[in-house]
Amino acid sequence: MSSYSKKPGMVPPPPGEESQTVILPPGWQSYLSPQGRRYYVNTTTNETTWERPSSTPGIPASPGSHRSSLPPTVNGYHASGTPAHPAETAHMSVRKSTGDSQNLGSSSPSKRQSKENTITINCVTFPHPDTMPEQQLLKPTEWSYCDYFWADKKDPQGNGTVAGFELLLQKQLKGKQMQKEMSEFIRERIKIEEDYAKNLAKLSQNSLASQEEGSLGEAWAQVKKSLADEAEVHLKFSAKLHSEVEKPLMNFRENFKKDMKKCDHHIADLRKQLASRYASVEKARKALTERQRDLEMKTQQLEIKLSNKTEEDIKKARRKSTQAGDDLMRCVDLYNQAQSKWFEEMVTTTLELERLEVERVEMIRQHLCQYTQLRHETDMFNQSTVEPVDQLLRKVDPAKDRELWVREHKTGNIRPVDMEI
């Protein structure tokens, strides 16, 4: 996966801080995340990282000036409600996102206004396509998984939504099932060939019409021998199907299952962590709102002399409010770390799933080609078993057969003479 590990309290630099003319090492490309954060992809290894890779050994990947002392962010916004990164206006391609509008952070007016400019999908907030230039495609000339499965998809019955990554996993699971069914098809074909070879061999031993003599008898004997030869051809065909088609398909399927399980568990754990920290931020935000409301009520009661609350009570309420604010900031920071990691791993994992799918299709294509090749060879060998029969049938001569039979079975060639009266 990636070599990047985000440090607590660090905020990645805005895209404007890096010059577009910076030369990256061979194989690396620069892109923007949905929140406007620049990240890098190695097109050879599918590695992703937030830090700019260095082309010179010993030089740090990202300059120290890229670090920022800004407060933690939630979904691309600082906890105060101000945008964490300016909008990127260049090098954008169309990619629509849909989902229910949600947001995190404080309830300040600026935060409420920014809510209309974002949409939240799977606990990750994206800029609304109507208010911000579209996210750049990682592979603009291809229908790549890493570009088209960030949003949710509505259920055909309208009962709910399915996450884009879940659709990718379903596609891979169907691919695994198809591999199983194709292996079963080849196995059944092998069984048919084995049974066919067994029946041909049995038929070749049949003694019917074995008393036929002459050139026709030789041709008939060759017909039965050709059955034994054909049985051997089909037996070899079934053995090659097992070793060259069925077995490699099964081995590939087992390895495919392991790769799929690794991808599934890895992303599933990240998404669970993301959802959990999203819930923690929501809980902390509500707690802060309650503490602020309690502090405000006590302050008002003290001012209008409706309560015996002392200033000490006010200080206690203020401390609780401050603590709740600190808790929210901590939850926000943890959430941002989880979101950054999820985004990075989402890119890497979708590229890996795409590689697995390409490999699966190519693997099956190769083995189906091997199947057809073996089938053609079987037809060729079958034809060779019939050629001696054709040659003998062309030599069948009824006159010769009659002559041979007469010579072997004749009783004499003296004709009776007429008696004289």
Side-chain angles (χ1 to χ4, degrees), residues 141-356:
T141 59
E142 303 177 26
W143 289 95
S144 178
Y145 290 173
C146 59
D147 286 320
Y148 294 99
F149 288 91
W150 292 89
D152 294 346
K153 184 175 183 180
K154 287 190 175 182
D155 186 89
Q157 288 76 29
N159 298 327
T161 58
V162 181
F165 187 77
E166 292 297 330
L167 289 176
L168 281 180
L169 290 181
Q170 291 174 12
K171 173 72 169 77
Q172 301 297 320
L173 291 175
K174 287 180 181 179
K176 184 175 68 174
Q177 179 63 25
M178 285 187 285
Q179 291 177 54
K180 179 182 178 182
E181 293 176 1
M182 289 179 179
S183 299
E184 291 174 350
F185 170 86
I186 298 298
R187 187 181 304 116
E188 187 64 24
R189 186 72 170 90
I190 292 173
K191 184 177 182 301
I192 291 173
E193 289 296 320
E194 290 175 343
D195 292 343
Y196 185 54
K198 186 185 299 183
N199 291 332
L200 286 178
K202 181 179 179 181
L203 185 59
S204 69
Q205 301 300 320
N206 197 301
S207 61
L208 292 177
S210 60
Q211 67 273 20
E212 184 64 53
E213 300 173 337
S215 59
L216 181 59
E218 293 178 8
W220 176 245
Q222 186 62 42
V223 167
K224 293 199 293 183
K225 182 180 183 302
S226 71
L227 290 181
D229 294 341
E230 187 177 356
E232 185 178 355
V233 168
H234 285 276
L235 201 58
K236 290 181 178 179
F237 176 47
S238 65
K240 286 187 176 181
L241 280 181
H242 173 69
S243 62
E244 299 180 20
V245 181
E246 181 197 18
K247 191 174 180 180
L249 276 177
M250 294 300 295
N251 291 338
F252 178 76
R253 178 172 176 264
E254 290 302 315
N255 294 331
F256 187 84
K257 285 168 60 177
K258 293 177 183 178
D259 292 336
M260 274 299 303
K261 183 179 291 187
K262 182 171 62 175
C263 288
D264 187 8
H265 287 179
H266 183 64
I267 286 294
D269 290 343
L270 289 175
R271 290 187 59 200
K272 286 179 182 178
Q273 184 184 61
L274 187 65
S276 174
R277 291 183 174 176
Y278 178 90
S280 297
V281 171
E282 283 290 281
K283 183 178 179 180
R285 182 182 62 80
K286 292 178 181 179
L288 175 60
T289 301
E290 292 175 0
R291 294 299 183 187
Q292 288 177 334
R293 187 182 299 114
D294 181 59
L295 175 61
E296 183 179 355
M297 182 182 65
K298 289 180 179 179
T299 302
Q300 290 177 352
Q301 289 176 348
L302 180 63
E303 289 177 352
I304 60 178
K305 309 298 183 181
L306 293 179
S307 173
N308 294 325
K309 299 293 182 181
T310 63
E311 289 188 7
E312 187 62 31
D313 295 325
I314 301 298
K315 291 180 179 179
K316 184 178 180 180
R318 186 175 290 112
R319 284 195 300 269
K320 289 182 178 181
S321 178
T322 302
Q323 181 180 359
D326 293 340
D327 290 341
L328 175 60
M329 295 289 286
R330 179 181 58 81
C331 291
V332 164
D333 185 61
L334 292 175
Y335 172 83
N336 280 329
Q337 294 178 45
Q339 178 178 312
S340 297
K341 187 64 176 175
W342 181 85
F343 174 79
E344 181 182 356
E345 296 299 332
M346 176 69 174
V347 174
T348 303
T349 305
T350 50
L351 289 172
E352 177 66 12
L353 291 177
E354 186 175 283
R355 184 192 66 79
L356 289 175

Side-chain angles (χ1 to χ4, degrees), residues 316-421:
K316 184 178 180 180
R318 186 175 290 112
R319 284 195 300 269
K320 289 182 178 181
S321 178
T322 302
Q323 181 180 359
D326 293 340
D327 290 341
L328 175 60
M329 295 289 286
R330 179 181 58 81
C331 291
V332 164
D333 185 61
L334 292 175
Y335 172 83
N336 280 329
Q337 294 178 45
Q339 178 178 312
S340 297
K341 187 64 176 175
W342 181 85
F343 174 79
E344 181 182 356
E345 296 299 332
M346 176 69 174
V347 174
T348 303
T349 305
T350 50
L351 289 172
E352 177 66 12
L353 291 177
E354 186 175 283
R355 184 192 66 79
L356 289 175
E357 176 64 6
V358 172
E359 182 180 349
R360 183 188 73 86
V361 173
E362 180 60 24
M363 181 75 171
I364 292 177
R365 186 195 69 82
Q366 290 178 4
H367 285 89
L368 289 180
C369 286
Q370 181 65 12
Y371 165 78
T372 59
Q373 177 63 28
L374 292 174
R375 186 71 179 82
H376 289 317
E377 291 177 359
T378 302
D379 292 340
M380 181 183 67
F381 289 132
N382 280 337
Q383 183 63 31
S384 67
T385 64
V386 180
E387 289 175 358
V389 177
D390 292 335
Q391 294 174 3
L392 288 175
L393 287 175
R394 284 193 292 268
K395 295 179 180 179
V396 170
D397 184 353
K400 182 178 179 181
D401 288 354
R402 187 174 67 253
E403 177 186 347
L404 291 174
W405 187 86
V406 169
R407 284 183 177 182
E408 184 176 350
H409 298 91
K410 67 181 179 179
T411 59
N413 58 358
I414 299 178
R415 292 175 296 172
V417 296
D418 294 338
M419 294 180 63
E420 294 182 356
I421 299 176

Side-chain angles (χ1 to χ4, degrees), residues 67-130:
R67 301 194 178 189
S68 173
S69 59
L70 294 174
T73 61
V74 180
N75 298 322
Y77 285 84
H78 296 304
S80 62
T82 58
H85 309 298
E88 181 75 7
T89 58
H91 306 290
M92 292 294 183
S93 302
V94 174
R95 179 175 69 200
K96 295 295 181 182
S97 301
T98 57
D100 297 332
S101 296
Q102 296 180 3
N103 221 326
L104 299 177
S106 68
S107 57
S108 63
S110 60
K111 186 62 179 176
R112 287 195 297 268
Q113 291 172 3
S114 67
K115 182 177 181 180
E116 300 176 357
N117 299 333
T118 60
I119 55 176
T120 301
I121 302 168
N122 287 329
C123 307
V124 180
T125 300
F126 297 87
H128 197 284
D130 295 335

